[in-house]
Amino acid sequence: MIGADTFQIFLANDALDSATMKVVEVVTEAASTVVKRSTAVLLDETRATHDLDMVASVAECAIKAGQPEEAEQILAKHLRGVLADIRGYRQTTTAVRDKAFKYSLRLAEVTRKAEWFDLAVDLLYIQAIVCSEEQAEALMRVQKQMDKLETHRLEQYALLVRKKGSSINHQRIASLLEEMTRAAARGRR
């Protein structure tokens, strides 16, 4: 576990009595391994994951350490992979898409590259998904930080959201997206 002082392993039932554990590698003397009986009942013993789940936290550490290029290098392949999966109609969970959206915007924010902003919009547009108000606000926040932004994708997405539904919420989100498009076209932030 990266950056942890203690690594805890919880074993269910009587597995602790019969478990044999071996320390394969000790990275530092400061880190310790603690094995305890689990008091919680494990409902899900395994969980499917995506590569993005595993690298996102490492990339976030790189961002916090002031190394956005490193974070971009870590995330780029995985974010593009999620978009390729969506374009290829391969099964992608909502959680993976949302994480890709979040980290695309995070990269756009720290690298100031429009490529990542566009990828975030594409993740929603290609699947014809109306973003949440939270996602629209995140798009607006990051769009204001961008030096230069191509408006075509945003215009297409705003039009899709406007046509997708007549609810007040959809129309409010479409209005936000259209305002972002106008602001980007003016070059204002």
Side-chain angles (χ1 to χ4, degrees), residues 1-112:
M1 186 164 248
I2 298 171
D5 293 330
T6 302
F7 181 67
Q8 295 186 3
I9 301 169
F10 293 94
L11 301 173
N13 301 328
D14 294 325
L16 186 60
D17 297 332
S18 63
T20 56
M21 302 199 69
K22 178 177 152 185
V23 175
V24 177
E25 179 181 356
V26 176
V27 178
T28 67
E29 292 298 320
S32 64
T33 302
V34 178
V35 180
K36 298 180 179 179
R37 275 189 211 282
S38 175
T39 57
V41 176
L42 299 175
L43 299 176
D44 290 341
E45 293 191 12
T46 60
R47 180 177 67 88
T49 189
H50 188 276
D51 293 348
L52 185 58
D53 289 328
M54 294 186 273
V55 298
S57 61
V58 176
E60 189 60 42
C61 289
I63 291 169
K64 288 178 181 175
Q67 300 174 335
E69 300 84 16
E70 181 80 16
E72 183 177 29
Q73 186 178 4
I74 292 167
L75 285 170
K77 174 184 161 191
H78 301 282
L79 294 174
R80 289 182 185 123
V82 172
L83 184 60
D85 286 349
I86 290 170
R87 282 189 172 138
Y89 301 103
R90 289 183 286 280
Q91 185 176 1
T92 305
T93 66
T94 302
V96 168
R97 185 194 61 238
D98 288 349
K99 186 167 282 216
F101 176 86
K102 174 185 173 184
Y103 277 96
S104 295
L105 285 184
R106 186 76 169 112
L107 279 182
E109 185 176 37
V110 299
T111 65
R112 302 290 194 255

Side-chain angles (χ1 to χ4, degrees), residues 76-173:
K77 174 184 161 191
H78 301 282
L79 294 174
R80 289 182 185 123
V82 172
L83 184 60
D85 286 349
I86 290 170
R87 282 189 172 138
Y89 301 103
R90 289 183 286 280
Q91 185 176 1
T92 305
T93 66
T94 302
V96 168
R97 185 194 61 238
D98 288 349
K99 186 167 282 216
F101 176 86
K102 174 185 173 184
Y103 277 96
S104 295
L105 285 184
R106 186 76 169 112
L107 279 182
E109 185 176 37
V110 299
T111 65
R112 302 290 194 255
K113 292 183 180 178
E115 168 189 5
W116 302 117
F117 184 89
D118 292 343
L119 194 143
V121 173
D122 281 348
L123 289 167
L124 302 170
Y125 177 70
I126 291 169
Q127 289 188 314
I129 294 169
V130 176
C131 64
S132 67
E133 284 190 56
E134 252 180 20
Q135 288 172 319
E137 289 169 4
L139 282 167
M140 182 175 275
R141 179 181 47 78
V142 174
Q143 180 265 330
K144 288 178 181 179
Q145 298 173 8
M146 304 302 296
D147 294 328
K148 193 172 186 181
L149 190 63
E150 174 66 40
T151 60
H152 182 69
R153 276 185 180 90
L154 206 49
E155 287 170 348
Q156 286 182 314
Y157 183 57
L159 184 60
L160 172 111
V161 171
R162 177 87 50 208
K163 289 181 178 180
K164 185 91 173 164
S166 59
S167 74
I168 293 172
N169 190 44
H170 286 177
Q171 296 309 306
R172 183 174 37 245
I173 290 170

